[in-house]
């Protein structure tokens, strides 16, 4: 039985029209009609009642519909399963969103070139979410901001300095350096409430008795960066998060007086007792090279 004929039958049933089925299948209407007619001849039954532009299933068509759905589903599952047979390994990586957006794209082409048959799946989320996925064996390893836990092994990849970033044409760009008092006069976008980085920035203002003009607080640095790009405020961000924007002159680093001496630590984590693999070594080495 021709699977394309069954597919055409199901599309006509779902969309209620030969023309709409043809559009969905990228075929002409006569081609869809020919497939239905071929299926009817093969089974020696009439599947549709036709009255002008209106169609409806015959009694035998109604009976055949669930069987046709099972046939197509079985075919699709078999096809997918056969494709998987030739993939010997799936590597599942957990990554903080900023790492997956700004660092992994520079590493993945080289990985795929060296390990052609390895299928990669990337799960993104907050560092705490990725930590849980490592512990629950949902990912092979994680690349996150430092999170301590007794069930994981961690390797420090690098320390990423935090700096103040502003959009083009911001008045701070006319100054050689700005103070925390200057920053307090402008809309500020902060990320990751309660983290060590968040607390450090708040202490900067508290030490000068300043109430910062906090325009928005968000849960991740990617959102904070995008809001700065939209001109909604300024933000303290780590270097890896803004590399492309700096290269394309979309964001600018502002020197501060005194200089900010804090950073985000990026770690490579995996389940305690788990042997390191050649894949894990590859990513660790490439991450080191990025610095």
């Amino acid at each position: 039985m021709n699977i394309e004929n069954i597919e055409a039958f199901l599309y006509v049933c779902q969309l209620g029209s030969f023309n709409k089925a043809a559009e969905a299948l990228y075929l002409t209407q006569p081609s869809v009609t020919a497939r239905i007619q071929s299926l009817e001849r093969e089974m020696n039954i009439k599947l549709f009642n036709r009255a002008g532009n209106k169609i409806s299933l015959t009694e035998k068509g109604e009976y055949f519909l669930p069987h046709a759905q099972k046939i197509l589903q079985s075919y699709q599952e078999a096809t997918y399963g056969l494709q998987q047979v030739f993939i010997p390994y799936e590597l599942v990586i957990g990554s903080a969103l900023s790492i997956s957006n700004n660092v992994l794209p520079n590493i993945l082409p080289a990985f795929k070139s060296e390990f052609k048959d390895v299928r990669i799946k990337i799960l993104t989320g907050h560092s705490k979410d990725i930590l849980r996925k490592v512990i629950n064996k949902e990912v092979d390893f994680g690349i996150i901001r430092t999170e301590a836990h007794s069930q994981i092994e961690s390797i420090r990849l690098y320390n990423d300095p935090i700096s103040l970033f502003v959009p083009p044409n911001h008045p701070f760009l006319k100054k050689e350096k700005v103070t925390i008092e200057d920053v307090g006069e402008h809309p500020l976008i902060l990320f990751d409430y309660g983290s060590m980085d968040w607390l450090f920035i708040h202490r900067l203002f508290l030490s000068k008795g300043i109430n910062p003009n906090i325009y928005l607080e968000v849960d991740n640095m990617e959102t904070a960066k995008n809001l700065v790009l939209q001109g909604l405020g300024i933000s303290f961000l780590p270097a890896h998060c803004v590399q492309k924007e700096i290269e394309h002159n979309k964001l600018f680093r502002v020197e501060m007086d005194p200089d900010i001496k804090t950073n985000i630590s990026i770690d490579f984590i995996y389940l305690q007792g788990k042997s390191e693999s050649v894949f894990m070594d590859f990513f660790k080495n490439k991450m080191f090279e990025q610095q």
Side-chain angles (χ1 to χ4, degrees):
M1 188 174 288
N2 190 315
I3 199 71
E4 292 180 343
N5 294 345
I6 293 176
E7 185 179 46
F9 167 71
L10 290 173
Y11 269 78
V12 173
C13 290
Q14 182 176 358
L15 300 174
S17 164
F18 280 70
N19 283 329
K20 290 180 180 178
E23 291 176 6
L25 292 167
Y26 299 99
L27 297 171
T28 62
Q29 187 270 334
S31 296
V32 171
T33 300
R35 290 186 181 187
I36 299 299
Q37 291 174 342
S38 175
L39 186 60
E40 289 178 326
R41 286 195 301 271
E42 188 174 1
M43 297 191 297
N44 195 29
I45 61 171
K46 185 179 180 182
L47 293 168
F48 293 101
N49 292 312
R50 299 169 177 83
N53 292 329
K54 295 183 178 180
I55 61 169
S56 61
L57 283 169
T58 63
E59 184 177 348
K60 290 184 177 178
E62 292 276 6
Y63 176 82
F64 179 62
L65 177 59
H67 296 284
Q69 291 170 331
K70 290 179 182 177
I71 291 169
L72 184 61
Q73 182 180 357
S74 295
Y75 172 79
Q76 291 172 338
E77 288 177 353
T79 301
Y80 178 78
L82 287 170
Q83 291 172 346
Q84 307 316 301
V85 169
F86 300 102
I87 300 176
Y89 191 83
E90 180 180 73
L91 181 66
V92 186
I93 303 169
S95 173
L97 184 60
S98 62
I99 297 293
S100 67
N101 283 354
N102 302 290
V103 179
L104 290 184
N106 300 324
I107 298 174
L108 292 175
F111 181 89
K112 292 299 290 183
S113 177
E114 185 164 340
F115 304 101
K116 294 181 175 60
D117 293 330
V118 176
R119 183 177 181 181
I120 296 177
K121 184 177 181 180
I122 299 175
L123 302 181
T124 62
H126 194 279
S127 293
K128 292 184 184 297
D129 298 327
I130 300 303
L131 173 65
R132 284 194 291 269
K133 290 183 185 299
V134 170
I135 294 171
N136 295 332
K137 301 180 180 180
E138 297 175 46
V139 298
D140 291 290
F141 59 83
I143 305 171
I144 63 171
R145 293 167 62 185
T146 297
E147 292 285 347
H149 197 282
S150 60
Q151 291 180 251
I152 65 163
E153 301 279 356
S154 63
I155 299 170
R156 179 64 44 82
L157 293 173
Y158 59 88
N159 292 319
D160 204 1
I162 289 179
S163 301
L164 180 65
F165 288 93
V166 302
N169 302 318
H170 193 277
F172 280 176
L173 297 178
K174 296 178 181 179
K175 296 188 174 189
E176 185 175 341
K177 290 188 176 183
V178 299
T179 64
I180 198 67
E181 289 86 354
D182 295 328
V183 176
E185 296 175 358
H186 291 260
L188 185 64
I189 298 167
L190 296 179
F191 67 89
D192 226 356
Y193 175 86
S195 68
M196 292 301 295
D197 316 302
W198 184 93
L199 291 171
F200 179 86
I201 299 301
H202 267 267
R203 287 195 189 102
L204 284 177
F205 290 102
L206 289 174
S207 66
K208 300 291 184 177
I210 300 169
N211 289 321
N213 178 14
I214 300 175
Y215 181 70
L216 282 170
E217 290 192 63
V218 296
D219 65 354
N220 67 80
M221 63 187 72
E222 284 295 301
T223 301
K225 177 183 71 176
N226 289 328
L227 291 171
V228 176
L229 287 169
Q230 295 298 319
L232 295 179
I234 60 179
S235 187
F236 293 94
L237 297 166
H240 82 265
C241 179
V242 293
Q243 287 176 347
K244 292 179 182 178
E245 288 74 20
I246 292 173
E247 291 173 5
H248 294 91
N249 295 322
K250 293 182 177 180
L251 288 179
F252 296 86
R253 181 179 180 274
V254 175
E255 296 284 348
M256 292 198 64
D257 183 21
D259 191 22
I260 297 176
K261 295 180 179 179
T262 188
N263 58 66
I264 285 178
S265 299
I266 302 298
D267 290 357
F268 186 98
I269 65 169
Y270 56 97
L271 198 61
Q272 193 173 62
K274 181 177 181 178
S275 300
E276 293 188 47
S277 68
V278 63
F279 308 133
M280 293 165 67
D281 286 339
F282 180 93
F283 273 91
K284 281 192 302 181
N285 293 335
K286 287 296 181 182
M287 290 285 287
F288 281 128
E289 290 175 11
Q290 293 288 309
Q291 304 317 304

